[in-house]
Structure formats: C-alpha cells, structure tokens
C-alpha cells in the first residue's frame, strides 16, 4: 500500500511504536524492521530501500546499544547525528524511526540476556569482543518484541552478526524473515561503515588494504585455489605489508556455523578484522556457488 504522503513518525517510547504498529497491522499492512546504531550511510540506505520494496511500512531503529560494547570500546565516541539520519530516512521512505533513550530500553536492574551457547559467537569477532554478540542478540530480540516485524534487514558486511541472528531466530522460533543485503562500498572499494569517520586521511588510504585483500582472495578462488590456509595467508601477507594495518584475524569459516574450514567451497565465508591505527574495520566475501 502506498505511503508517499505520510510524514515519517519519530517515536522515542516503546508504547508509541506498539500503538503505531498495531494500527498498521489492523489495516493489514506488513512491517519491515531495519535495526541500526545511527550515523547512517548508503549501506543503511540500501537496507531501507530493500525493506521499502518488500514491506508496506518500514521501521528503522536508531539506538547505540550499550550492551554490545565492552568497557574500553567506543560506546561514548560512537558517531551520532540524529537530524542527518532522519533526513536520510525520510528520503528513503522510512515510515517510523524509533530513537529510544537507554533508560527506555534497559531498566537499571535489567539482568536478562539472549546468548547463543555454542562456539559460533566466540569465533572471529567474538574472540576479541566476547560479550558483543550477547548484546546484539539481546537488543535485536527486544526490537523484535517491540516492533513485531514480518521481516528484518541486516547487512552482509557484518556477516557473523547476520549468521548469529539467523541462528537466534531459528532457535527461538521468531517467525521473522531475516533478509541479508549485499555490502555497499565506496567508489574506491572501502566497505561503508559508520566507523570510517574515525580514519585520518592517511588511515583512510591505508584502509583500502581490506578491500584489496578481499579482491585478492576472490581472485585466487576464481583461479581455482581451494586451500583456505593459502588464500588467507596471501591476504594476510598483503595486509601486513601496509604499515598502518594490524591484523586481528583473517579466517575462512563455514558461513552458517562460523567454524574454521580447510577447503574453500560455496557457502564458506572469508572474513577479516583489521586495525587501521586505532580503528577496527571488518570486511569479507562469501565463496560463490559458481566457484569450480
Ligand atoms: O549492526 C548494527 O548496527 C548493530 O549491531 C545492531 C544490529 C543495530 C544491534 O545494535
């Protein structure tokens, strides 16, 4: 159903969101959810576009979720610009933006978490960010309970997050379609990220080493290389030659379980996290079905 003239609603309370979503559902409209932490870029816009193309109404949450940051991480300095976010969301056809205070989402004595108790959230980013996916699962569960969407949209750049959310939705029988959307890149290849804003001009140039490593890995796979160790070693060597880069990990894992693999076959995720100066960036590619 068309929604071209309705102004975008800005909701700060759970009750406001519930009232509006109930009204839409009574009209028989479908609802899509795009969870974000704000400071939106074209990557987020592509999620909203996809949601708008698939659902009658689209809710975007803008909430820097404290439970997914460990002490010493960038919770306080995480970039924020809500007015700019709203302008972008209006342009892309968002129906309602949910922008709660931390106190609206978490009671002072909140003590309930959603956590996957397998190896999956402990691999890759989970090695250096042990509480991260517990925080993501908890806040996404809360957003699912508040918005009760038909579908929710996440970027493939955060490939482990996407896999974790798919597993959580399966294990907890959420009945919500999870839609993964392709990585959006700058013209020179750098994957779009709100954290790119932390980079100095020199670091910004160095950060290109991530997408160059992705391109190298994809090229080796296209040439028929199937050894995970050889491909990740070649990618690591390229990254290590960049003076401002420090590798956190470059790994090949099963795209669902996140467990390490030895052979590169369709469905394998080749993922990396690399510090450029103090900024930790991630990038990845999936081995395609068409790989020989
Ligand atoms: O990908 C993000 O921005 C966050 O991890 C998410 C999914 C919005 C949860 O806070």
């Amino acid at each position: 159903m068309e929604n071209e003239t309705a102004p975008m609603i800005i909701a700060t309370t759970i009750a406001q969101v519930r009232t509006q979503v109930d009204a839409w559902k009574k009209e028989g409209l479908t609802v899509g959810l795009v969870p974000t932490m704000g400071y939106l870029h074209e990557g987020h816009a592509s999620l909203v576009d996809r949601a708008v193309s698939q659902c009658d109404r689209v809710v975007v949450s803008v909430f820097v979720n404290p439970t997914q940051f460990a002490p010493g991480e960038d919770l306080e300095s995480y970039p924020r610009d809500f007015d700019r976010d709203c302008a972008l969301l209006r342009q892309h056809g968002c129906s309602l933006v949910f922008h709660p205070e931390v106190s609206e989402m978490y009671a002072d004595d909140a003590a309930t978490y959603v956590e996957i108790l397998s190896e999956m959230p402990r691999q890759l980013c989970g090695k250096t960010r042990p509480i991260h996916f517990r925080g993501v699962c908890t806040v996404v569960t809360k957003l699912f309970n508040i918005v009760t969407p038909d579908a929710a949209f996440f970027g493939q750049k955060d490939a482990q997050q996407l896999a974790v959310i798919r597993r959580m939705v399966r294990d907890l029988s959420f009945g919500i379609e999870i839609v993964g959307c392709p990585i959006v890149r700058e013209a020179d290849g750098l994957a779009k990220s709100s954290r790119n804003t932390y980079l100095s001009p020199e670091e910004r140039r160095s950060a290109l080493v991530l997408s160059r490593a992705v391109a190298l890995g994809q090229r080796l796979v296209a040439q028929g290389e199937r050894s995970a160790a050889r491909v990740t070693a070649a990618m690591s060597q390229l990254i290590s030659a960049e003076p401002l880069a420090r590798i956190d990990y470059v790994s090949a894992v099963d795209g669902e379980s996140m467990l390490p693999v030895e052979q590169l076959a369709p469905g394998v995720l080749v993922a990396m996290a690399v510090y450029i100066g103090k900024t930790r960036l991630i990038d990845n590619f999936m081995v395609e079905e068409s790989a020989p």
Side-chain angles (χ1 to χ4, degrees), residues 190-207:
L190 181 66
K192 300 253 184 194
S193 165
S194 305
R195 290 190 167 99
N196 291 349
T197 186
Y198 297 151
L199 301 169
S200 70
E202 193 192 359
E203 290 171 341
R204 173 67 184 72
R205 279 189 294 277
S206 303

Side-chain angles (χ1 to χ4, degrees), residues 28-247:
L29 302 174
T30 58
V31 177
L33 169 67
V34 181
T36 82
M37 298 206 298
Y39 212 72
L40 305 177
H41 50 67
E42 288 90 335
H44 298 109
S46 76
L47 303 180
V48 178
D49 290 345
R50 178 70 198 271
V52 166
S53 75
Q54 190 174 323
C55 303
D56 298 317
R57 297 291 181 268
V58 171
V59 175
V60 177
S61 57
V62 173
F63 179 62
V64 183
N65 171 39
T67 63
Q68 67 191 72
F69 291 80
E73 290 187 343
D74 57 346
L75 172 63
E76 278 80 27
S77 60
Y78 196 85
R80 293 158 168 92
D81 189 341
F82 186 60
D83 290 342
R84 202 181 62 120
D85 290 346
C86 284
L88 179 143
L89 292 174
R90 275 191 194 94
Q91 268 175 20
H92 286 267
C94 166
S95 311
L96 184 150
V97 53
F98 178 41
H99 185 46
E101 294 288 339
V102 172
S103 56
E104 179 70 7
M105 291 294 277
Y106 295 106
D108 283 345
D109 58 352
T112 305
Y113 291 91
V114 179
E115 186 170 13
I116 297 179
L117 297 178
S118 73
E119 278 304 303
M120 172 182 213
R122 289 185 252 280
Q123 303 296 314
L124 305 182
C125 291
K127 287 190 180 156
T128 45
R129 307 189 73 193
I131 63 154
H132 177 67
F133 290 110
R134 183 184 80 164
V136 169
C137 286
T138 303
V139 79
V140 170
T141 296
K142 287 172 71 69
L143 291 168
F144 285 174
N145 285 334
I146 294 163
V147 179
T148 61
D150 298 281
F153 299 79
F154 296 88
Q156 175 66 29
K157 183 170 80 70
D158 296 295
Q160 186 176 15
Q161 169 170 282
L162 179 57
V164 161
I165 286 166
R166 284 192 198 285
R167 176 66 56 87
M168 176 185 87
V169 163
R170 187 204 72 180
D171 287 356
L172 298 183
S173 311
F174 268 109
I176 294 169
E177 182 192 356
I178 301 302
V179 182
C181 301
I183 298 176
V184 177
R185 296 181 181 280
E186 303 284 355
D188 60 8
L190 181 66
K192 300 253 184 194
S193 165
S194 305
R195 290 190 167 99
N196 291 349
T197 186
Y198 297 151
L199 301 169
S200 70
E202 193 192 359
E203 290 171 341
R204 173 67 184 72
R205 279 189 294 277
S206 303
L208 286 179
V209 77
L210 279 90
S211 52
R212 282 174 35 227
V214 164
L216 172 64
Q218 287 174 319
R219 203 162 55 242
L220 291 171
V221 174
Q223 286 165 1
E225 179 60 78
R226 289 292 170 271
S227 157
R230 278 198 288 273
V231 169
T232 53
M235 293 166 66
S236 300
Q237 201 181 4
L238 177 84
I239 298 166
S240 303
E242 169 52 56
L244 296 186
R246 183 168 56 85
I247 294 174

